[in-house]
Every structure is written in C-alpha cells, then in structure tokens.
Amino acid sequence: ECTVTRDDQKDTVSFVPLQEDVYSVNVKWSGVHVPGSPFTINLLPPISDTVDVLPESILEAGVPTSIPSYQELIEPVDAGTLQTEYPASDILEDTKPPVQEFVFGQPVDVDITSGGAKQKDITCHAVLEGTDERVKVTVKKLDKDQFRLTLKPKTPGIYYVHVSVNRQEISTSPYKIKYCEPFDVTAVKVTLLDTEPYTVGEQVKVLIDCTDAGKGDLSVKAVGPTFGVRTKCDVVDHEDGTHTASYVPNTTGKHKFEITESGRPVSGSPIKYRVVQCIAERVKLLEPPSAILGTGEAINFCFTTSRAGDGKLHASCVGEKSGKVACKVTTTKDEEPKAKVSFVPPQADIYHLEVKWSGTHVPASPFKINLLPPVADNVEIVAQPQDVVESGVPVDLDFDASAAGGGELMATCVGNRVGEVPVKVVSSDSDKYKISFTPPEPDMYEMSVKWAGEHVKGSPFKINTLQSIVNKIRVISLPSDILESGSPLTLGFDTSKAGEGTLEATCIGEKSGQVACDVHIKQDDKVDVTFTPSQEDIYRVDVTWSGASVPGSPFNINLLPPVAKIVEMTAEPQQDLEAGVTTDLFSIDTSAAGAGALDASKVKLVSTPSASLEPGAALSLGFDTSKAGQGNMTATCVGDKVGPLECDVQRQPDDSNRLDVSFVPPQPDLYHLNVKWSNADVPGSPFKINLLPPIADKVELLAQPPSTPTVGQTVDLDFDASSAGGGELQASCVGSQCGEIPVEVQATGEDKYKIVFTPPEPDSYEVSVKWAGEHVKGSPFHIDTRPGSVVSEPVEMVESEDVQAEMGLDELDYLYDGNEDKSYPRGEAIEPLAVYELGQVFQLTVDSETGAESGKQLNVNCGGQQAGKADVDVIRNMDDTHTVRFQPKIADVYTLTALMDDKHIPGSPFVMQFVTPIDPSKCTITGIPTVQPQVNSTIRLTADCSDAGSAELTVDAEGPSGGEQPSRLDVNQTRENQYSINYTPTVVGVHKLHVQWNKQALPISPIVLDVASQKVQVFPHGSPVNMEITATGVKAKDVSAHAIYEPTNEKLKVTIKKGDKKRDFKTIIQAKTAWNILRARVCETRRNIHQSV
C-alpha cells in the first residue's frame, strides 16, 4: 500500500516494504506516468564478491565484474558477437551507430542483442564528453539474448556508453549519445516574413525561431476563415535553429498559422494575418520618367504589382490646356508582374496623370508632369538659413518651384577652405524642395542652386559658419577714460576660445583718413590692437577674425572736445499738451557734439536672467550705455561657496551701446555680480543671483494680520525669504463671495517682502502665498471680515454650569444629546452659518492645558447633511495644543463637534456650509453651429454649469440692425445650473452672444455667429457659375438678372439661357476675383429670387 501526502505543492509517495524484494513503484499525474515511472527499488541483500552477476540496480559504471571462479565455470563469450539496438533501429555487429539525441530529464535506453552472453557477462558505463565523470548504467534482461542498458544523466551533453563482455569491449562500443535540453515552447519566436495584409494567391511565410528553445518536433497548420479548415504546411529546417513554413491563401478574410511541438502550442501561436483581394498601396513606381521631358515623345511610368493582389491598372491623363490625353497601359507577367503607363504630350503644358489599381489611387497618384519651359527666376526661397550658423549643425533651405515650369532642382556647396561638401535635395511636396547640408567646420560657404541648369533668384547663397566662432572672442580692454590725440590707444581681445584664425584691424578717422594699426599677439591668445590718433577726430576701428567682424566691431572712439552748443534739436515739442498723456518733448542729435562726460549712474539695466535659473547654463544681464558717455564696462562675479568666476562682457553687433554681461554658474550657490562702468558701480551693482534650491517652508511670516480687519482697511503680511533659496514670492487673494481681488507684492528690502490687499466687502478671504510655486508655511491664510466671524485662536475650557448661569442658554439644549454635558462659548452669541468654498480649510486650535487638569482627551466628529460622516484631521502640536483641520471634497452643510473629556469646547458644534467655487471656465456650451447659420433659423445652444458653482447665467445678444423684426433671444433654466439658449437672427451679418456666469464672461464668450441669407454655394474661380431656376409660365424675354460683387457693390452681367425644360432657365455669372461673395438677383414679372455664391 502507498500513501501520498502534499506539503506546499510538494507530493511525497511513501510505502513500507514487507520483505527483501525488488519493488516497482508506478507514479502517475492525472493518469499519465511522471518522468522515471515506474521506479525500481531493490531491497535484495548484496551478492558475495565470489559471485560475478550483480542486480541491475546496483551495477556501477566502470567497475569490473570478472571473477576467476566465474571464468572456470562457463565458456567465455566472444564480445564481437554482441549486437546493440537503439529505439526503433537495429544496429548490426561491428557497425558504429549514428549519434542519437534524447531529451534531458528522460532515461536513455539502449537495447542490445547478445551472441550467447548472459546478463552476468555484461559490464558497462557512460562518460560525459570532456570530463572524467562516469554515469551509472543499469542492465536489464528483456528476453532471450535481449538486454536493455539504461542511464540517467544529471546534466545535458554528449555521453559515450562503453559496453564490455568478459572485460573485453565490444567492437561497436563506445556509443555516442547526445543528451539535449528539453524543448521550451515559451522560448520560440514566431514572425511573419512580410507585412500584412496579404493578397489572394500570394505566398505567406512564417519564420519559427527555435534557437533558444531546443530541438523538437514542429507541426504547422494553416487555418482559413471558412469553417476553420486546417491545412498542414511543410516545415523547412534551416539547420541553424530556425524553420519556415508557407501557405498560399485562396480566399479573403482572417487567416492564421497554428504551430505546435509534440502537440503543445509554442509561444506566439496562433499567429494571425489578414488576406484581401488587392492593395493599391503596394503598387510601386519602378522607373519614373526622365527629368528632361519633351513634347511629342512618349512619357513612360513603370510599376510593379507583385504584392498588390488580384487587380487591374487603369490610367487617365489631363493637360491643364490640352485637356484629356490618351493613355496606354501594358502589363507583363514575368517573374515579377509589371505594368507600364505611357502617354504622348501634344504640347508644352502641365499634365496630371491618374493611376489607379482596381479603382484606388496608387501611391503618389495623381502624378504631375510639368512640360512648361523652365523659368529659374520663378523659383522662390521660402526658408532662409539663420544669420549665425554653427558648424556641424544641419542647414536647410526651402524652395517653391510651382511657378518655374518644368525642370529639376540641383545644388552644390563649396567652402572657401574645405572645398565642396555633400548636399541633399529632397522633394517634400509637389514642386516643393528642401536643400540640406552640414558644414563640417567654420568657413564661408557658397551654395549654388539651379533650376534646369540656370541659377535661381539669389543664387549663389552665402552661408557663414565663422560668425559662431567669432562671437567667442571677448573684448577685455578698451582705451582709458581720458583720451588724447597723439597718445597710443589700445583695444585688448581674448581669442582663446575662437580656434584657429587671424585677427586684423583697420582704423579710419573722419578727418584724418586711414590711420595705421598695430596688431600685437601676446601670451594666452591675447591680442592688442593699437593706433595713434594724429588729431582730435572721430575714429572708427574695424576688427575682424578670419574676415568676420568680432563682437562690438566697428569701435567708435570720439576724441572731439565736448561742445554743448552743437547739440541740435531736430524736433520741436507739440504745442497742445494734455495732462496724463505721454509726450515726446524733444528730439536731440548729439553726433557732432564731441565726447560727453562719463556717468555710470546713466547705465541702465535692460534685461535680466529668466526666472527659471539652472546651474551650468549661462546667465546674462543686458545694459544700455547710450547716455553714460564713452567708457568701458568690466564685471566680476563671486559665489559664496565656489568663489570667483570668469565673466564675459560682449557688445551687441547691431548696437554698440548695448553690452551683455554673462557668466556660467557651476553649481547651486548665491552669486554676487559686480558691474562697473569705467571703474564706477552701475545702478543696482552688486547684483545678487540666488541659485540655491527653493525651500518654501523657510519663508517666515514676520507680522500677523489684524485678527478682525474691517472692510476697506489695508491688510499687510510681511515675509522674510532670506533662508528660502532662489525663488519668487507670489500671492493671490480670493473671497468666497466676491471672488479674486487685487494683491500687491512689494520688495521692502533684501529678501524681505510685504503683501498688501484691501477687502472690498464683508467676506471670508483666502490668501495663498507661494515661493517658487510652493505654498509657504501657513499658506493659505484665512482672513474673515464678516461680523461675528470665527477666529482660529486657542480657546479656553469653561464649565457648562457657569456658562448657563451667566448667559441663560438653556434654550439651546436641542443642540446636544441627552447624555452629553453642555458647555458654551463665554460671552458669544450664536454664530451665523459660515460659508466656505471647496478647497478652503476650516481650522481651529484647541488649548488642552487651560484648565487645572492636564492630559485631557479631545474627540472630534463631523458629518454632512447629504455626504454623511466626514474625515477631520486632528494634529497634536509640540506645545500640547491641538489643530483641527477640515477640508471636505463634497459640497454640503456640515456640523463639526469637538468634545474635550466629553464636554463641548467653546463654539462646538460648528455648523458650516461648503459650496462649489464659482468658476466660469467650468461652464460648457454645446450646439454652436459648425456651418454658417441662416437668417430666421433658430440656433439652439445648451449651457451646462453644473461644475461652475452656484450663480446666475446671463446672455446678451449683439447684432446688426435693419431687420423687419428684431432678433429673438430666449434663455430658460431646464434643471439646476443647466440652461437652454435659443437665438433666432432676423438680419444677415455678424451676431455675438455674450455669455456670463456670476457676471464673469465665459472663456468661449462672445460666441460669434456669421449669419447668411441662405446657404452659400461654392464654385471654383476661373469657371462660369451656372444656376438653374424654374419659372412657371414665364418666357425667356420676361426674365432678367444681374449679380452684385459684394466688396464694391459693382453689378456684373448675367446671361439667361433657356434650359432643357420649358420652365427652366440658367443664369451664368463670370466672377472677376477668387474667394468673394456674389449675390445674384433674378427677376421676373411676379417675384424676385436671391441667391448667394
């Protein structure tokens, strides 16, 4: 008897043997033998060493079984007479069997046929290739002269089985066995070799990759959409772990491959694909026509249709002047199906060739063939490269050749130093081209662009990549403050970051003419430019680097003496001036007045770094020195942690009076930037730049607002942000009833701020204060100007009996349960219902140490009339006080009770109402017409303000006058905060609906409606406009018509032509300009007919 026990998905099979015996244990899982079953367990006693025959289960591989007494008892057997058998194969004597493969985990059985040998004569063992590891082999007798050798290797690999009889190895030994990993169906990868959908008759191939799965027995079946019929597919083994199977579907629909190994579906099976009749997108253009096309010769387009399915190619061609042109389609069915479309253009024209596959356009159809004579000057450049181009960065030029006739765009690019560089020309759209190239190094490049061999307008184009290098040259010194003629003047430059190049300089005086310049190269790539002015004059110094102007060049040096009388007024002020209106009093020309006095206080800061500053990115401040005299600017920068940093002072190329000071902060720090103009600090210097990470909690409120501010009284809140890192203080204030009100943020000192606002009416206000986008400590602040408002101050505990005796409040018993003690706020009347908006916080602080006792227990509960029980946050503070915070998410009337040792604290229970905030942006308007509305037709809109708070919707209409009846507007409330808006315009023109919620305009307001007299018909410009009318019993001579051109009210001629039927007439209008409205008036004796086109 066997017993089976289970523990954590592990099964244990147990039995008790009754005697010494050989036991066979059969173990099955749901009726199927588990690996190794049946298990043989030999409990027979071991055989004496004088006996040569061993039981099969204790034969050891490699152990000799030769005993002298055995040799004497029987006649020796010749090992050469022993034969072996592998499963399902017979191995003849002296024939080496092929390598057999077995799956790891299963026992390996080798059957042998003896030539008279007995079981006791046979010894065997197995060896793992490349090692000395021996594997146990058992021998079992099957029948007369039939034996089975069984081994159970522990690891995969190649094994050699050695078989000996009477110590002599048989001739066919050893036998080679490959013990393989078990096939892993989850490691199979299945992919389709082509993109779907496939077409009827096209071979579909599937790739089965078993590289990581092992060797197995694969089966592939193709399943079609008709009744799930399965067709077995041939599997091709590529001997590299991959296999392919194929199938040719003959019906459309959804097909699939089912792939299994020994009956088990592999990963990715079934793999599905779709089969269609034909696919026009797979028709490919093989040979486009030649770029040089002429009239009178056939133009050919060649296509391949190999993957396009069962279809037919059709073509048609139309010339813009020539009209319809005959096309010829020829097909071939060689190895790859092909089709050729050809036509002969009769004249120079633009032809449009439509090519369709079974009624659907092939890719790029219709093809445009332009045979008009090329006009290179009509090629327009639509996108110029930037003024400063970096080497190594792609440069694009876009061109439009739609008006240039037939031709081909070609481009070449040559650098002065690097020579020709590759250029790519791409046709991005019909007659649109993009030319791209990447300059390999700083150089002056010339781009030649030609159309049909002729330069286009503006070609060749100059592209300068030197300027990006030249901009890295810094001006490090300018002439001294006191300038005199006859003394050398020097300008210093730093070229260390500009790479290889040559600095050159020229100097010209307005009176002196050419002045010699000396360029002196010093150490560390520093260069001085020196010249000696010969007289008082204005000198212009041009400095270039490899031919490109350095930043700030040309430098103007004015050595004329200052003469105030030469300052000229070029424009008189206006005579009639108005108070409060900015007026330009004077326009003054100082160009001839000589050099003025230096004044650093006149230097103006015109640009500052952005609010979002990051370490590692250059920070720049811009200054205007136009009114500060002829000086020079220097700058130094020091970080509290990193110390001194290098600063760069650059003069703007297009404005010599504009200078930029920049530096690169290496890490978060507090930086101090000193900027001087001719050794004097400019206003605001040193500039403080804080790149430390912002910490909103470090912003301190210095002064509390008044506890009970009154309406109209200014409320101040002072803050200190000196320890809060880099950031910006922002504030907003919202009243629960009056909405948002203005707030002013004032910088009162270094890192000191004051927030100021004035409550306009009694209300509950919430002031949000943020530093770098995060709420500061205590924000939002609540300020209530309503009479009897609750102030969040620590409250005292009082005994209920004292309060009742003092205030006589027994009539308030209904507020409490019968088992509750009563306590009431001392000296206060019942509060009015407090109203809060969702998102606001009701907060109070309770002092538990006020009484004689300590360690009192605070219990807080809250519930809404509709919302039910609500969560309340109770926080025990370090000073033994408690903070109670309540912020519900559902609008409702809530009652909050706070009990200290089963007694109500003063003010408890607190009754408050939370309402949805009023937000016009949450109102939605639906039903706005997507087509032009018609006069006298009702426009029906719906307004949903369910999420916009509690307020009133107002709608006002604005429109043109002159109608016989006024336009009609109806606004009705259909349910709570939902409205219907019906508007019927009675006049043609632009109408506006102004929609407001709580007197605030909706984001979509005003809704603009362009009302037409009737549906406007649209016709292409350049062709006549035909309109058919029916006039019963009217003759052609009775009908007259004219058209009004709307922009000028000009009358246009309309011809009348009798139609096919007696009552039909056609009006024909020829428009002069595209995209305008014409109003046609057709008249006859009884009526007028109006139509807009």
Side-chain angles (χ1 to χ4, degrees):
E1 182 180 354
C2 292
T3 59
V4 179
T5 58
R6 169 167 293 192
D7 182 19
D8 294 333
Q9 295 298 313
K10 180 180 180 182
D11 290 340
T12 301
V13 179
S14 306
F15 75 99
V16 177
L18 302 179
Q19 60 182 349
E20 295 175 344
D21 201 351
V22 178
Y23 295 89
S24 178
V25 182
N26 290 274
V27 182
K28 298 181 180 182
W29 181 264
S30 298
V32 179
H33 278 283
V34 304
S37 177
F39 300 93
T40 300
I41 301 168
N42 192 337
L43 299 184
L44 293 174
I47 304 297
S48 153
D49 57 1
T50 60
V51 180
D52 192 46
V53 181
L54 301 178
E56 55 179 290
S57 60
I58 58 173
L59 278 176
E60 294 294 333
V63 177
T65 59
S66 175
I67 303 297
S69 59
Y70 172 74
Q71 300 289 343
E72 298 170 354
L73 293 175
I74 65 170
E75 182 181 354
V77 179
D78 184 2
T81 63
L82 193 68
Q83 296 181 354
T84 61
E85 291 182 0
Y86 280 87
S89 66
D90 293 329
I91 308 301
L92 299 177
E93 180 183 1
D94 294 329
T95 302
K96 188 73 71 174
V99 177
Q100 294 292 311
E101 295 184 354
F102 298 88
V103 178
F104 177 71
Q106 298 291 335
V108 177
D109 294 332
V110 180
D111 292 344
I112 62 174
T113 301
S114 71
K118 298 181 180 180
Q119 180 174 347
K120 61 183 179 179
D121 303 329
I122 302 171
T123 59
C124 54
H125 68 272
V127 180
L128 177 63
E129 186 178 54
T131 69
D132 294 332
E133 178 186 346
R134 291 193 173 194
V135 179
K136 178 181 176 180
V137 178
T138 61
V139 180
K140 183 178 181 180
K141 187 173 182 178
L142 299 178
D143 201 352
K144 182 180 181 180
D145 294 337
Q146 295 287 326
F147 298 90
R148 173 166 293 172
L149 310 182
T150 302
L151 65 153
K152 296 181 181 179
K154 296 182 179 179
T155 58
I158 294 178
Y159 289 83
Y160 295 90
V161 181
H162 297 266
V163 181
S164 300
V165 175
N166 296 332
R167 299 184 182 181
Q168 181 182 356
E169 191 165 8
I170 65 175
S171 59
T172 54
S173 175
Y175 304 103
K176 191 175 180 180
I177 293 173
K178 186 176 181 181
Y179 209 41
C180 305
E181 289 277 7
F183 190 89
D184 184 1
V185 294
T186 64
V188 177
K189 299 174 184 177
V190 179
T191 53
L192 294 170
L193 290 182
D194 287 313
T195 56
E196 65 167 333
Y198 297 85
T199 56
V200 173
E202 177 186 3
Q203 187 181 57
V204 183
K205 287 186 177 181
V206 60
L207 175 67
I208 309 163
D209 187 352
C210 303
T211 306
D212 299 326
K215 187 174 180 66
D217 183 17
L218 290 177
S219 172
V220 180
K221 293 182 180 179
V223 183
T226 307
F227 306 113
V229 176
R230 286 168 169 77
T231 304
K232 188 172 182 179
C233 303
D234 292 333
V235 179
V236 179
D237 188 349
H238 300 289
E239 303 296 338
D240 59 356
T242 64
H243 306 73
T244 55
S246 60
Y247 176 68
V248 178
N250 56 12
T251 59
T252 61
K254 294 181 179 179
H255 294 246
K256 63 182 178 181
F257 284 112
E258 290 181 346
I259 306 164
T260 59
E261 191 281 328
S262 299
R264 299 176 299 164
V266 303
S267 177
S269 175
I271 185 167
K272 300 178 181 180
Y273 58 94
R274 186 163 53 94
V275 178
V276 297
Q277 192 67 35
C278 61
I279 306 173
E281 289 82 359
R282 292 198 179 150
V283 176
K284 294 182 179 180
L285 179 63
L286 292 179
E287 299 178 15
S290 168
I292 303 174
L293 303 175
T295 58
E297 298 180 359
I299 296 177
N300 299 318
F301 287 76
C302 294
F303 301 89
T304 176
T305 61
S306 58
R307 290 205 65 216
D310 187 13
K312 189 174 182 181
L313 203 70
H314 299 270
S316 62
C317 181
V318 176
E320 293 185 357
K321 295 186 291 183
S322 309
K324 190 172 183 180
V325 179
C327 287
K328 184 179 179 181
V329 179
T330 57
T331 59
T332 60
K333 291 188 178 180
D334 299 331
E335 294 181 359
E336 183 179 13
K338 296 180 181 178
K340 182 173 72 173
V341 177
S342 60
F343 74 97
V344 179
Q347 60 178 332
D349 198 353
I350 297 177
Y351 295 90
H352 302 275
L353 177 66
E354 288 190 349
V355 181
K356 296 182 178 180
W357 180 253
S358 295
T360 303
H361 279 283
V362 305
S365 174
F367 300 91
K368 182 179 178 182
I369 303 103
N370 193 335
L371 299 185
L372 295 176
V375 184
D377 283 346
N378 288 348
V379 177
E380 298 287 340
I381 183 167
V382 294
Q384 292 271 11
Q386 299 177 354
D387 295 336
V388 179
V389 178
E390 296 273 357
S391 59
V393 177
V395 179
D396 295 335
L397 293 87
D398 293 328
F399 293 88
D400 182 356
S402 56
E408 182 180 9
L409 196 75
M410 304 182 68
T412 58
C413 183
V414 179
N416 289 345
R417 293 185 297 174
V418 303
E420 188 168 355
V421 297
V423 177
K424 185 177 182 181
V425 181
V426 179
S427 176
S428 58
D429 196 1
S430 179
D431 299 322
K432 302 291 192 303
Y433 297 86
K434 183 185 291 291
I435 297 176
S436 304
F437 86 103
T438 301
E441 61 180 72
D443 201 353
M444 184 68 73
Y445 295 88
E446 184 175 272
M447 174 76 74
S448 294
V449 182
K450 296 183 178 181
W451 180 256
E454 298 292 330
H455 279 284
V456 305
K457 187 167 52 179
S459 176
F461 301 92
K462 303 288 185 181
I463 300 170
N464 185 357
T465 63
L466 284 171
Q467 196 62 48
S468 61
I469 299 298
V470 172
N471 285 346
K472 296 180 180 179
I473 295 178
R474 296 190 302 118
V475 181
I476 56 177
S477 67
L478 293 171
S480 61
D481 303 341
I482 303 174
L483 307 178
E484 296 180 358
S485 59
S487 300
L489 304 181
T490 301
L491 296 84
F493 300 90
D494 181 359
T495 65
S496 60
K497 298 181 180 179
E500 296 182 1
T502 304
L503 192 81
E504 299 176 331
T506 59
C507 179
I508 299 177
E510 291 185 357
K511 295 184 291 182
S512 309
Q514 191 81 28
V515 179
C517 282
D518 178 38
V519 178
H520 176 60
I521 301 176
K522 303 192 300 183
Q523 293 181 349
D524 300 330
D525 295 320
K526 305 293 191 298
V527 182
D528 284 347
V529 175
T530 305
F531 74 99
T532 303
S534 59
Q535 59 178 323
E536 294 175 342
D537 199 353
I538 298 177
Y539 295 88
R540 169 184 169 134
V541 182
D542 288 277
V543 183
T544 61
W545 178 260
S546 297
S549 294
V550 304
S553 180
F555 300 92
N556 294 314
I557 301 174
N558 194 339
L559 298 186
L560 295 175
V563 184
K565 293 182 179 180
I566 302 181
V567 177
E568 295 184 357
M569 181 182 296
T570 59
E572 295 284 346
Q574 299 178 4
Q575 298 299 318
D576 300 327
L577 304 180
E578 296 182 18
V581 178
T582 302
T583 305
D584 295 330
L585 291 178
F586 305 100
S587 180
I588 297 175
D589 182 5
T590 63
S591 59
L598 289 168
D599 187 355
S601 66
K602 299 292 181 65
V603 175
K604 184 179 180 181
L605 179 66
V606 293
S607 68
T608 58
S610 65
S612 54
L613 305 177
E614 294 183 2
L619 306 183
S620 179
L621 288 81
F623 297 90
D624 180 5
T625 64
S626 58
K627 299 180 181 179
Q630 293 287 340
N632 62 80
M633 181 170 285
T634 59
T636 60
C637 182
V638 178
D640 285 353
K641 298 186 216 174
V642 302
L645 293 176
E646 182 182 355
C647 289
D648 187 24
V649 180
Q650 291 279 356
R651 194 180 297 272
Q652 289 283 354
D654 55 349
D655 185 358
S656 60
N657 292 319
R658 167 68 187 269
L659 290 98
D660 290 334
V661 176
S662 60
F663 72 98
V664 178
Q667 65 180 48
D669 200 353
L670 182 61
Y671 296 90
H672 306 273
L673 181 65
N674 284 275
V675 182
K676 295 180 181 290
W677 180 250
S678 295
N679 298 321
D681 281 317
V682 304
S685 179
F687 300 92
K688 182 179 174 182
I689 301 171
N690 196 336
L691 296 187
L692 294 173
I695 307 174
D697 284 345
K698 295 288 186 180
V699 178
E700 297 291 339
L701 176 63
L702 299 179
Q704 290 279 356
S707 57
T708 55
T710 58
V711 173
Q713 175 188 352
T714 299
V715 178
D716 297 341
L717 293 91
D718 294 309
F719 293 90
D720 180 359
S722 57
S723 302
E728 183 182 3
L729 195 75
Q730 296 178 325
S732 62
C733 182
V734 179
S736 61
Q737 299 298 324
C738 65
E740 187 168 359
I741 63 173
V743 177
E744 183 180 2
V745 180
Q746 302 171 355
T748 57
E750 188 173 343
D751 298 321
K752 301 292 192 300
Y753 299 89
K754 183 187 290 292
I755 295 175
V756 181
F757 76 98
T758 303
E761 61 183 65
D763 203 347
S764 174
Y765 296 92
E766 183 177 87
V767 183
S768 294
V769 182
K770 295 183 179 181
W771 180 256
E774 297 291 333
H775 279 284
V776 305
K777 187 167 54 179
S779 176
F781 301 93
H782 293 280
I783 299 172
D784 206 326
T785 62
R786 296 172 299 177
S789 58
V790 176
V791 181
S792 299
E793 294 290 338
V795 296
E796 288 188 13
M797 291 298 302
V798 294
E799 295 300 325
S800 59
E801 294 81 358
D802 298 337
V803 176
Q804 293 179 23
E806 183 177 336
M807 301 181 60
L809 296 180
D810 291 337
E811 63 274 13
L812 298 181
D813 284 347
Y814 71 93
L815 288 174
Y816 302 92
D817 295 334
N819 297 326
E820 290 185 69
D821 292 331
K822 309 181 186 67
S823 56
Y824 304 91
R826 184 188 303 273
E828 294 183 3
I830 299 175
E831 297 289 347
L833 183 64
V835 179
Y836 299 86
E837 289 185 352
L838 289 177
Q840 292 183 321
V841 179
F842 171 83
Q843 180 173 314
L844 58 89
T845 303
V846 180
D847 183 0
S848 60
E849 295 296 329
T850 302
E853 303 176 6
S854 60
K856 297 180 179 180
Q857 182 67 33
L858 178 66
N859 292 315
V860 180
N861 291 288
C862 185
Q865 292 181 355
Q866 304 295 327
K869 187 176 181 180
D871 293 332
V872 181
D873 293 328
V874 180
I875 304 169
R876 186 178 182 87
N877 304 316
M878 297 295 292
D879 57 357
D880 286 333
T881 63
H882 292 80
T883 298
V884 179
R885 287 174 56 89
F886 177 52
Q887 188 178 20
K889 297 181 180 179
I890 302 174
D892 200 354
V893 175
Y894 293 88
T895 301
L896 184 148
T897 60
L899 303 177
M900 184 70 75
D901 286 349
D902 298 331
K903 294 182 180 180
H904 283 276
I905 69 169
S908 174
F910 301 93
V911 182
M912 66 208 78
Q913 181 179 11
F914 279 83
V915 298
T916 303
I918 297 175
D919 186 357
S921 67
K922 297 293 181 64
C923 296
T924 58
I925 303 292
T926 57
I928 299 175
T930 56
V931 297
Q932 189 174 24
Q934 308 299 314
V935 70
N936 293 321
S937 297
T938 301
I939 300 164
R940 305 181 189 279
L941 309 178
T942 300
D944 187 352
C945 306
S946 304
D947 299 326
S950 180
E952 181 181 0
L953 184 78
T954 57
V955 184
D956 295 315
E958 174 189 353
S961 58
E964 297 180 1
Q965 297 289 335
S967 298
R968 186 171 66 255
L969 174 66
D970 294 320
V971 180
N972 298 303
Q973 183 170 354
T974 56
R975 60 182 63 184
E976 186 176 359
N977 288 352
Q978 294 187 6
Y979 301 84
S980 64
I981 305 171
N982 296 329
Y983 181 63
T984 306
T986 59
V987 183
V988 174
V990 176
H991 295 245
K992 297 180 181 179
L993 297 181
H994 299 271
V995 187
Q996 293 183 324
W997 182 252
N998 196 41
K999 299 181 181 179
Q1000 300 177 51
L1002 272 61
I1004 200 173
S1005 178
I1007 301 171
V1008 180
L1009 304 168
D1010 186 8
V1011 179
S1013 60
Q1014 64 180 54
K1015 186 175 182 180
V1016 176
Q1017 297 172 277
V1018 179
F1019 297 87
H1021 177 248
S1023 58
V1025 175
N1026 295 321
M1027 294 185 298
E1028 295 187 0
I1029 62 172
T1030 300
T1032 306
V1034 178
K1035 299 180 179 180
K1037 63 180 182 179
D1038 298 329
V1039 180
S1040 62
H1042 66 269
I1044 303 297
Y1045 181 50
E1046 216 176 51
T1048 61
N1049 287 327
E1050 174 188 1
K1051 286 188 177 182
L1052 300 180
K1053 182 179 179 181
V1054 176
T1055 60
I1056 307 294
K1057 182 180 178 181
K1058 193 169 184 180
D1060 298 334
K1061 298 180 180 179
K1062 294 182 179 180
R1063 296 181 299 172
D1064 293 347
F1065 299 89
K1066 290 185 178 179
T1067 60
I1068 303 174
I1069 309 168
Q1070 186 69 40
K1072 291 186 175 181
T1073 308
W1075 311 116
N1076 277 291
I1077 299 293
L1078 297 173
R1079 302 195 182 282
R1081 173 170 292 174
V1082 184
C1083 307
E1084 47 99 4
T1085 53
R1086 297 172 218 163
R1087 59 178 179 171
N1088 291 339
I1089 303 172
H1090 300 270
Q1091 284 185 289
S1092 295
V1093 295

